[in-house]
Amino acid sequence: MNSPENDRTLDALIRLLGEEGAHFEIIRRRLVEIGSPALPALERCVREGASLISERAGQIIESIRLEALDEEWQRYAEKEPCSLEEGVFLLARFAYPEMNSEIYRTKIDRMAEVLRRRIQPDSSPPAVIRTLNRYLFEELLFSGNRENYYLPENSYINTVLDTKKGIPISLSVVMLLLAERLNLPLHGIGMPGHFLVSWSDERDEIYIDPFHEGRMLTRGEIESQLPGDEKGLIAQYLRKVSTRQIITRMIRNLIHIYTEGGETEKGSWLERFHKRVHST
């Protein structure tokens, strides 16, 4: 969109933003197809336009942004293996488009460096987990957001790192991102209605509940909490989940939250992202 003819086409479309009904929908689709080259003119409309035109220009800007984000999800979904860190920051950009992910990556790096200095090379797995728990839950005061469990913010890595509050899967993600940096054998465990982390190596199998301050659990303790008709499913429940499964579960959580809250458009966009990752 850089030739004089294309510029004239764009200007004509912008002038028609006040059109009603089906005419506006045609104009909206055309501007979304043009994409990023249309953004400067649309942003001028937001700043200078009449209220209806300004509102519509803002909506189109958001649609262009989300279409571009959807393309990023497609590229992400085509990777195998896909990166947990890349996935959670991509998800956060749905709600926080101006987020500087490097600030948060650096924050995680610094947390990992503190732990690297504190973990002794000959420490047993329970000792390493206790060090991790003391730092995250006693010193930094990460905790499960029991009072506002269904806030969308509990699912976005940037707000979890800012507020130190989250739900089981997002607190587990913080632990898993630290484990990646520290080369610790931690894995996600997708229990029904809950999410745990496991320490799994050739000698030890320890389950960790980040939502409850990193409480360590044995397989028997977890099994004892299951209803009688589910105890036979314990092996299935305690399987390690892949990065792709973690990301799709986080997206599903947000789809449920937004849809239940009446924000169906957000839910629809997240359905598109979920389909990208889940179907690949």
Side-chain angles (χ1 to χ4, degrees), residues 189-237:
I189 300 292
M191 295 282 294
H194 200 45
F195 202 92
L196 302 173
V197 171
S198 74
W199 175 293
S200 181
D201 59 23
E202 59 277 2
R203 291 188 304 170
D204 295 279
E205 192 79 37
I206 303 169
Y207 300 96
I208 309 160
D209 186 351
F211 192 71
H212 292 95
E213 293 71 49
R215 181 177 57 175
M216 285 184 270
L217 300 164
T218 65
R219 178 189 176 112
E221 288 171 327
I222 296 171
E223 187 173 5
S224 70
Q225 296 171 16
L226 293 174
D229 58 348
E230 293 187 27
K231 291 186 187 297
L233 300 173
I234 185 68
Q236 176 182 329
Y237 289 167

Side-chain angles (χ1 to χ4, degrees), residues 122-239:
D122 58 348
S123 294
S124 67
V128 174
I129 296 167
R130 283 193 292 270
T131 299
L132 185 57
N133 286 343
R134 278 195 297 271
Y135 180 56
L136 283 178
F137 305 113
E138 296 178 23
E139 188 172 330
L140 296 184
L141 301 179
F142 278 87
S143 64
N145 194 347
R146 296 168 179 81
E147 296 80 13
N148 294 291
Y149 190 91
Y150 293 103
L151 280 179
E153 290 82 356
N154 292 328
S155 292
Y156 295 119
I157 186 65
N158 57 318
T159 50
V160 173
L161 290 169
D162 284 339
T163 64
K164 309 290 198 310
K165 289 190 177 293
I167 54 177
I169 194 167
S170 58
L171 293 171
S172 294
V173 163
V174 172
M175 194 172 277
L176 292 170
L177 293 179
L178 290 170
E180 286 182 358
R181 287 162 168 76
L182 297 166
N183 198 28
L184 301 177
L186 297 185
H187 310 275
I189 300 292
M191 295 282 294
H194 200 45
F195 202 92
L196 302 173
V197 171
S198 74
W199 175 293
S200 181
D201 59 23
E202 59 277 2
R203 291 188 304 170
D204 295 279
E205 192 79 37
I206 303 169
Y207 300 96
I208 309 160
D209 186 351
F211 192 71
H212 292 95
E213 293 71 49
R215 181 177 57 175
M216 285 184 270
L217 300 164
T218 65
R219 178 189 176 112
E221 288 171 327
I222 296 171
E223 187 173 5
S224 70
Q225 296 171 16
L226 293 174
D229 58 348
E230 293 187 27
K231 291 186 187 297
L233 300 173
I234 185 68
Q236 176 182 329
Y237 289 167
L238 294 181
R239 286 179 189 156

Side-chain angles (χ1 to χ4, degrees), residues 30-59:
R30 183 71 185 99
L31 286 167
V32 171
E33 287 171 6
I34 292 168
S36 58
L39 290 176
L42 288 165
E43 288 163 353
R44 281 196 300 275
C45 283
V46 170
R47 293 192 300 269
E48 303 166 5
S51 58
L52 176 63
I53 293 174
S54 176
E55 179 183 342
R56 286 179 167 178
Q59 292 169 355

Side-chain angles (χ1 to χ4, degrees), residues 1-14 27 29-42 44 64:
M1 287 296 295
N2 53 5
S3 71
E5 181 180 351
N6 287 338
D7 288 343
R8 285 194 294 273
T9 300
L10 179 56
D11 288 343
L13 289 168
I14 293 293
I27 293 158
R29 284 202 303 267
R30 183 71 185 99
L31 286 167
V32 171
E33 287 171 6
I34 292 168
S36 58
L39 290 176
L42 288 165
R44 281 196 300 275
I64 291 171

